[in-house]
Each structure stands twice: as C-alpha cells, then as structure tokens.
Amino acid sequence: MKLSNVSGPLGVSLPTWSIFLGTVSALGYSALRIFLSDVGQGLGTLCALSALFLILFFSRALRSSAVFWCLLGVVATQSLSWVAGYYHHPDWLPGNPEIDRLGKWFLFVGVAFWLGGNYFNVKLALSLALFGFLATCFFFDGSLEQWVRGMQGHRIDLDIRNAQHTAMFFGVALIGLLFFVRLCFSGERLAWLTGTAWVVAFTICLLGVVVTQTRAVWLAIVVVTGLAFSILVVAALKGKFSRSARRQGVIAIFSVVALAVIAGITFEDTLQTRLAAENSVMAHAMQGNWEEVPYSSIGTRLHTWRAGFEWFAERPIVGWGGEGRGLVIDHTDWLPQQIKEEYGHLHNTLLDFLVSYGLLGLSVISVLVVWTGLGSYKSWKAGVMPTEVFIFGWAFFVYYFIVSLFESYSFFWTGSYIQNVVMGVVVTFIWRWQLESGSSVFTFGRKQAAP
C-alpha cells in the first residue's frame, strides 16, 4: 500500500510535504538536541513516531527487519522484569514497566528512515550535529570564562550536564572529523573552506577533550586512533589507496600529530596530574583491600561496581527492573549516605543494564549489536554504505563501549542522543542495501540466491 505516487524514503511513497517535514525533523533532532534541548527532543519524538507509523503500516520489507523484533524484545523484557519484580520486591517498583527507558534507544529508527539512505542527508545530519554541539560549547553565559579556566588547567564542563558527558561528545566529534577528513579536503573549489573548517573544528575538539579531563575518553581515543592508524598503514602498504587519498591521509596524520604535540606541551602538568591520580586506589582494589579504597572518583566507581555485581548475582536473568541501578545505591547497606544522596547510577552502562534487565535484556540488545555490525559490513561490501560511514560506525562502537564502562551514558539523554544519531546514520544504509538487494542481514536457514 502506498500513500501517493510521489517517491519517498526507503521505498515508501509519500507526499512531498511529508517527506520534507520528516527529513527536517530528523535533521533538526541531530542539530538541536544539545543546543536547544526541548526543541530537539520534540523533533526527535516527531521523527520517531511518524517513521514508526509509516514503517509498520506501509513498509512490509522494513517492518520485518530484526530492528523491530529487537524493539518488541525490549518491550517484552521490560514488562517481564517488572512483572517478576512485582512478585519479588513490589515496594521497590514503579507503577508501570516504564518501557520508554529502553524504547528511547530506538529513536534511531526515525533518523534512519527519514535520512532515506541518502549520503547527502547523512553528511548534513552529522555536520549539523557537530555544529549544534560546538555552538552549545560557546553560546552560553560564562562560556569564555570557562574556556579560559580550562586553558589554565581547571576541569570544565561547558554547561552540558557534567565534564564526562561533554568530554564524551568531544571524543565522538574528534573521531568523526578524523574519519571524514577525506571529504573535507577532496573538494575542488571549496576545498580551502572545508579544509580550514576541519582544522578549526578538530583543534577545538582536541582542546575540548583535554580541558574536560576525562580519562576514559582519553583511553578510548588512544585505542581507536591506534587501531585506525594500524589499519591505514596496512592498507597503504598493500597499495589500496590512490595518490590523492594518501595525500589527504598525510594531511590528517600531520594535523593530529601537530595538534597533539602542542596540546601535550601546553597541558603537560594537567595531563600528568590527571593520569597519575589515584594509582594507589587501583592498587588497593586489585589486592582486595576494600577498606582502604576511598570514595574518590575512581574509588566511588569501584565501590558501586562491587555493589552492582552483588545485586546482579541475586537476579541474573530478569534483573531488578528499570529502577535497579537506583536500588543498588539506595539499599546497599555498606555504601555511605553521601554516595546514596549524590548518585543514582553505577557509572557503567553495561552493569546498569544487567542489574536492571539481566541477561535476558542483554541478549536482546546483543542481537541488535550483531545485526548492526554484520549489516554494516554487508552493505559496505556491496558498495551501498560509504567507506567513511562504515569506518566511523565501527570506530564509534569501540569508543563508546570503552567510555561506557566508566559512566552510564546510555541512561542519560546525552548517550541516547549520540547513539540514535550514529545508529540512524548506519542503519539507513543497511536498510537501503536490504531493499535494493532483497537480502537479509541474518540468513540462518535461507538459501542463497543464484548469482
């Protein structure tokens, strides 16, 4: 069934005005969720609900995607966890299963649908997300004072929740700029403009990573850039890059090295102090001397992780429900009152998830992760997904997995937002590949079509 004769996104024919509004909602969500939070959130809701309605009623091909089975799975998991908790700890449960807690992770469905597998739309969405974030970092009262304090060695957050979340955004932006560098320097007439913009944006983001002083982000960036550099060297040695591509790669590497050296010299004391802090805390924890572990930055994480694992071991299958992470903090007797008053999460997305929804919930999300990874590879091999998007998607996964081991990003709007934008960018090409080829990501028990 089709709504009109006008061609629309991903095989669904729609009126021109609705395509325009849907695309604007996806782009607006990417651009404004950080800068104008309420407006961006409203656009994101519109983007997701409109796409969900159209897919469920007018696109049999897309609604059979594993994405929607996973969405159904998380709804079922949250409901089952709530029902099981009702019989085990009813006094600690909310009045309903609160399926929006994980449902908001699937807002990427709307982003992917309205981007329509169009590379121009994807580049525009990512550019707007970057500009919206950078605008937020400069256009607020006291922004100049914060940047000056950061340059003086103080830790700053630029009024985006806290320094860890701001650092996470800077890290994603840095990785995105690194892997999309070719597009910025490969233009002809506007190469000087886009290249200059890339250098400025990269400098700001590198500086932002330093002044927000988040060690998990530093670790994740080092791992990702190290892996990327190794892969690029191997590919170059095999002669898989053209002369222009090698030249652009040299520009990117030179920029990264030069800016990193400048940052290292400028902030040498800050970096050394931050990296050396709490070494003794880690030593006590590794030796099992928990009485000697203070409730410092790392110490608090170690204590809450310990408590979280104790609670997970009690209900490993379905967890404690959506409020599980808060229950751990509030009802672990040996955690001090100060920690109970200050925190409501476990500083680890994976552990938060396991405590809340157990191995059952993890199995559902794992299917989505595997589907996305395998689908991105297949669509890239088929020439549908651009190489930059493919590499960026995988780099983001590695980066985000590492930083999420030290903070519960996905359970805050910041993490949900960045997940939805990147997932939307990746999934839009997977869906396009599926529609164009008639193939599926998972082919268990299916016969392959004859060539």
Side-chain angles (χ1 to χ4, degrees), residues 22 316-317 437:
I317 305 301
S437 66

Side-chain angles (χ1 to χ4, degrees), residues 131-448:
F131 294 150
F133 167 60
L134 293 180
T136 307
C137 294
F138 288 95
F139 294 102
F140 67 91
D141 291 338
S143 61
L144 180 60
E145 289 80 358
Q146 276 212 41
W147 279 104
V148 170
R149 292 184 70 249
M151 296 287 287
Q152 294 172 343
H154 298 280
R155 193 183 193 191
I156 61 174
D157 58 24
L158 301 173
D159 282 10
I160 302 178
R161 186 164 183 85
N162 62 39
Q164 292 167 304
H165 292 254
T166 309
M168 182 270 291
F169 282 134
F170 273 124
V172 175
L174 202 63
I175 291 171
L177 287 166
L178 181 61
F179 289 112
F180 283 93
V181 61
R182 185 181 68 86
L183 299 181
C184 296
F185 286 94
S186 61
E188 297 179 358
R189 296 182 180 179
L190 296 178
W192 66 272
L193 179 60
T194 56
T196 301
W198 183 91
V199 172
V200 171
F202 193 89
T203 303
I204 293 173
C205 291
L206 182 61
L207 177 61
V209 165
V210 175
V211 297
T212 47
Q213 298 185 25
T214 301
R215 287 162 293 200
V217 170
W218 296 349
L219 172 63
I221 289 175
V222 169
V223 172
V224 169
T225 52
L227 288 173
F229 183 75
S230 300
I231 293 172
L232 287 173
V233 169
V234 172
L237 291 176
K238 290 184 176 181
K240 294 187 176 182
F241 289 138
S242 64
R243 180 179 298 179
S244 62
R246 289 196 296 269
R247 183 173 63 251
Q248 293 149 18
V250 169
I251 294 174
I253 292 172
F254 176 79
S255 299
V256 172
V257 173
L259 292 172
V261 170
I262 294 172
I265 295 174
T266 305
F267 298 97
E268 180 180 4
D269 293 338
T270 300
L271 294 172
Q272 288 181 350
T273 301
R274 189 67 178 162
L275 290 173
E278 304 189 279
N279 286 339
S280 61
V281 175
M282 295 294 296
H284 286 306
M286 292 177 66
Q287 295 169 6
N289 300 327
W290 291 101
E291 296 79 8
E292 302 297 327
V293 177
Y295 285 87
S296 55
S297 176
I298 293 178
T300 297
R301 282 170 169 75
L302 294 173
H303 282 297
T304 55
W305 294 349
R306 177 189 171 199
F309 279 116
E310 290 177 356
W311 281 67
F312 166 67
E314 289 189 40
R315 294 178 64 79
I317 305 301
V318 295
W320 294 83
E323 303 288 346
R325 58 190 187 143
L327 296 178
V328 173
I329 301 297
D330 293 339
H331 299 283
T332 298
D333 295 336
W334 49 265
L335 286 176
Q337 188 61 33
Q338 179 184 353
I339 298 300
K340 296 177 185 292
E341 294 174 354
E342 187 173 354
Y343 300 106
H345 60 279
L346 304 176
H347 300 90
N348 185 308
T349 296
L350 180 60
L351 185 56
D352 268 356
F353 190 90
L354 285 171
V355 168
S356 296
Y357 305 109
L359 295 174
L360 179 62
L362 181 63
S363 65
V364 175
I365 295 300
S366 296
V367 171
L368 179 62
V369 171
V370 172
W371 179 89
T372 305
L374 185 58
S376 65
Y377 176 75
K378 289 186 174 183
S379 60
W380 171 70
K381 287 289 288 183
V384 175
M385 179 178 292
T387 299
E388 289 87 359
V389 176
F390 174 70
I391 298 176
F392 173 60
W394 277 90
F396 172 81
F397 174 79
V398 174
Y399 167 85
Y400 194 68
F401 177 79
I402 294 173
V403 298
S404 293
L405 293 177
F406 301 91
E407 184 55 59
S408 305
Y409 292 111
S410 296
F411 289 92
F412 295 95
W413 71 264
T414 50
S416 295
Y417 161 73
I418 202 64
Q419 288 175 199
N420 285 321
V421 171
V422 178
M423 279 287 290
V425 163
V426 172
V427 170
T428 194
F429 288 111
I430 298 176
W431 279 349
R432 176 182 158 188
W433 164 73
Q434 288 183 307
L435 292 171
E436 292 180 354
S437 66
S439 303
S440 297
V441 174
F442 294 141
T443 56
F444 308 120
R446 297 172 182 250
K447 292 183 178 180
Q448 298 294 322

